[in-house]
Amino acid sequence: MAQQHLDPTAGPVAGDTLAAYLQAQATEFLRALRQHRETGGATAPNGAEEAVDAARALRRSARRISGTLHTFRPFLDEGWSEGMRPELAWLSGTLAREHAYGARLERLLAALHRLSGSSAFPAQAPAPDAHPGAHPGARAQLPSEKGTLTVGAAKAGALLERQLTLARTRAHSAALQALGSSRFHAVADNIAVLASEVPLTASASATGLKPLAAAAEERLRDAVAGLPLITAGHPYNAEALVHGLSADTAPQPQDSPWHQVRLLLRLHRYACEVRFGDEAPVDVRLLTAGQALDRHRDAAEAAAAAASAARTPRIAPATAYALGVLHADQRHEVEAARFAFQRAWMRETVGTP
């Protein structure tokens, strides 16, 4: 149980603050789960708006609980914490895939529309540029290239729609199976218990939260120090295209450190939420850096989807060409996101005493 103060005038100790945060997130999780069941999320393949919001709230709470268990694990029962974290990661990842495939398809079709100069493909509405900081060279096509791209763009869009819609349908089925599984019910039961009782250790009452939160921030800074920020400071370099013609289907190795920084930045933000609650200071620079890393992740995954579609056997040359231009465009978006992160992070570093 979370320890309570005997002196009502004393400030909260680490255990009380940590327990209150975890209990609030557990309550949010249970509320979202109830909303998801009431809105019939399990019977709506395309997801009613309320069900989508409920699933997003489930993921948000699960991520925050898991991240808090990771950052402040010395304050929590080790066996319980280590057992919960992988289950929460499994749940959050499973619920996120359906939305991710849908957003990826929307992003790629919007890019094809923009690159081909067409108003829209059938049954699709025009979409604005995804990111204003993208490489202008990726959008400026010569007339002959524009014509070739337009020829293959419709077939490329249809191919992407088939592949990603199939992946989204499978992700939806996997999410339904997960939410009906005994594994999920065990997770929900543990979170229900967490809403009323947090298994704290004795050290939670004797040590402050600041050292562990500072350690999370230090891990973030160390990871950022390993990024090629000097290269990212050049807005239109082609570093992201080094492996563009590789036959290797593995993720681009240069993306992994940036994805890791995104994860560490999220953990740092959650640690600040634990320490300060609703009064957590809003760091606009770090917020901007986090948004840039989100764009980086989305563009990298979209580029990988375009490359995967281009490997489809027996597709027409014009289709392959359109997918190649699309892949290059998304890798330029990756570079634009890295440039935006570099600018935001360097401003944050200079402004920190």
Side-chain angles (χ1 to χ4, degrees):
M1 291 289 290
Q3 298 186 14
Q4 302 295 323
H5 283 295
L6 298 178
D7 181 4
T9 64
V13 296
D16 294 330
T17 304
L18 179 60
Y21 181 83
L22 286 172
Q23 288 171 340
Q25 293 303 320
T27 301
E28 286 296 321
F29 181 94
L30 297 174
R31 182 182 295 113
L33 177 59
R34 182 172 60 252
Q35 180 185 359
H36 191 271
R37 289 171 174 169
E38 290 174 352
T39 54
T43 60
N46 294 324
E49 184 176 352
E50 296 82 0
V52 172
D53 291 341
R56 186 180 296 113
L58 280 173
R59 300 198 310 269
R60 182 170 58 246
S61 298
R63 287 198 308 266
R64 280 167 165 77
I65 295 173
S66 178
T68 302
L69 298 185
H70 174 78
T71 302
F72 298 100
R73 57 186 179 275
F75 291 167
L76 299 157
D77 179 79
E78 182 178 1
W80 174 84
S81 178
E82 293 302 317
M84 279 288 290
R85 282 175 50 206
E87 296 303 289
L88 290 169
W90 160 76
L91 176 61
S92 178
T94 301
L95 295 179
R97 290 191 189 99
E98 180 182 0
H99 170 76
Y101 284 125
R104 197 170 304 153
L105 175 60
E106 182 179 352
R107 178 190 184 92
L108 288 169
L109 292 181
L112 277 174
H113 300 161
R114 167 171 51 79
L115 291 166
S116 64
S118 61
S119 58
F121 290 133
Q124 294 289 339
D129 289 355
H131 308 307
H135 188 295
R139 302 169 184 168
Q141 303 290 330
L142 295 176
S144 60
E145 292 176 323
K146 181 72 77 174
T148 304
L149 179 59
T150 304
V151 169
K155 291 185 177 180
L159 176 60
L160 288 168
E161 189 159 13
R162 285 197 303 272
Q163 292 183 345
L164 291 177
T165 299
L166 177 60
R168 184 181 183 183
T169 301
R170 289 174 175 172
H172 179 76
S173 298
L176 295 186
Q177 292 178 358
L179 291 174
S181 67
S182 59
R183 184 179 182 181
F184 170 75
H185 288 299
V187 173
D189 289 343
N190 284 328
I191 292 181
V193 173
L194 180 64
S196 59
E197 182 177 356
V198 179
L200 299 173
T201 62
S203 62
S205 299
T207 310
L209 295 171
K210 185 176 181 179
L212 293 178
E217 182 177 6
E218 187 63 26
R219 288 192 292 271
L220 169 63
R221 293 186 179 277
D222 289 345
V224 172
L227 295 177
L229 291 185
I230 300 300
T231 301
H234 300 284
Y236 305 130
N237 69 82
E239 184 70 21
L241 297 176
V242 169
H243 302 283
L245 297 179
S246 173
D248 189 0
T249 58
Q252 298 219 10
Q254 61 176 283
D255 291 341
S256 298
W258 294 86
H259 295 332
Q260 179 66 14
V261 168
R262 177 177 174 273
L263 172 61
L264 293 174
L265 181 58
R266 175 183 289 175
L267 293 177
H268 170 54
R269 190 174 74 247
Y270 295 165
C272 290
E273 290 180 3
V274 174
R275 288 188 62 200
F276 302 107
D278 294 336
E279 299 178 356
V282 178
D283 192 325
V284 178
R285 298 180 186 89
L286 287 181
L287 180 62
T288 303
Q291 292 171 345
L293 291 174
D294 287 343
R295 295 198 302 270
H296 178 276
R297 187 274 313 270
D298 294 343
E301 292 181 347
S308 177
R311 296 186 183 97
T312 303
R314 297 182 297 279
I315 60 175
T319 305
Y321 174 78
L323 290 169
V325 173
L326 180 61
H327 174 268
D329 175 75
Q330 292 303 300
R331 291 310 303 184
H332 279 301
E333 293 278 1
V334 168
E335 285 295 317
R338 292 179 183 179
F339 177 64
F341 173 83
Q342 187 267 355
R343 295 185 65 189
W345 183 262
M346 296 304 292
R347 283 200 300 267
E348 188 274 338
T349 302
V350 171
T352 301

